[in-house]
């Protein structure tokens, strides 16, 4: 008795199952000569039934946590006024203008952004303490990208 007379092509099913394993698919269907074969696998079920976690009231983030959540929304964020390469000192490789914890006054230089072969000094928009530096020396930056946070 050949495969057609038996009605089930076990080799085809094995090949389709192998294809499921190789591709990571959960289901595959094949049709040939009016015969259709569908092979499907159920995704693995975890031993522990999935229950949604009870909602917990999270405390509002403290002022120091805001920068960790989204630096762009921090009230003391200093953003890049242009596209370019940011340097923390007056030139590539130089000692940085500021470090975390540095006290700055409005107008003090914070870093420079090189754009079109010109070093553009970025001044502090207000006085305060440098809370977080969000860029590395020599890092490409986009317009509006957060550079550092002053609190």
């Amino acid at each position: 008795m050949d495969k057609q007379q038996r009605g089930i092509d076990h080799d085809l099913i094995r090949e389709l199952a192998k294809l499921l394993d190789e591709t990571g698919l959960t289901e595959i269907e094949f049709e040939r000569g009016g015969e259709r074969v569908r092979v499907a696998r159920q995704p693995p079920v975890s031993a522990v039934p999935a229950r949604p976690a009870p909602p917990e009231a999270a405390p509002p983030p403290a002022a120091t946590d805001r920068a960790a959540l989204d630096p762009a929304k921090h009230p003391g964020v200093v953003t890049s006024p242009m596209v370019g390469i940011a340097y923390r000192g007056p030139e590539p490789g130089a000692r940085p203008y500021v470090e975390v914890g540095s006290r700055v006054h409005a107008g003090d230089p914070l870093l420079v952004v090189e754009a079109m072969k010109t070093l553009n000094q970025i001044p502090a928009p207000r006085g305060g303490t440098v809370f977080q530096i969000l860029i590395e020396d020599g890092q490409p930056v986009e317009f509006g990208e957060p550079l550092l946070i002053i609190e």
Side-chain angles (χ1 to χ4, degrees), residues 88 98-100 130-136 147-149:
R88 295 185 51 210
V98 295
E99 298 287 348
V100 172
V130 176
F131 172 71
Q132 189 175 14
I133 299 173
L134 304 167
I135 55 109
E136 297 294 324
L147 302 172
L148 54 86
I149 296 173

Side-chain angles (χ1 to χ4, degrees), residues 3 33 40 53 55-56 59 68 78-79 94 104 112 116 133 136 138:
K3 292 178 188 174
E56 294 181 21
V78 177
T79 59
V104 295
V112 295
M116 298 177 63
I133 299 173
E136 297 294 324

Side-chain angles (χ1 to χ4, degrees), residues 41-148:
R41 294 213 173 144
Q42 295 294 327
V45 178
S46 68
V48 180
R51 276 189 233 144
E56 294 181 21
T64 57
D65 292 339
R66 284 192 300 248
L69 296 175
D70 186 0
K73 293 183 180 172
H74 192 284
V77 69
V78 177
T79 59
S80 178
M82 64 193 71
V83 174
I85 306 294
Y87 296 103
R88 295 185 51 210
E91 58 187 22
R95 187 171 153 254
Y97 283 117
V98 295
E99 298 287 348
V100 172
S102 297
R103 297 272 312 145
V104 295
H105 301 284
D108 286 354
L110 299 173
L111 48 89
V112 295
V113 175
E114 179 185 9
M116 298 177 63
K117 306 280 186 201
T118 303
L119 294 175
N120 301 281
Q121 201 171 70
I122 309 302
R126 64 185 182 94
T129 302
V130 176
F131 172 71
Q132 189 175 14
I133 299 173
L134 304 167
I135 55 109
E136 297 294 324
D137 194 47
Q139 174 182 324
V141 293
E142 297 291 326
F143 173 80
E145 182 175 338
L147 302 172
L148 54 86

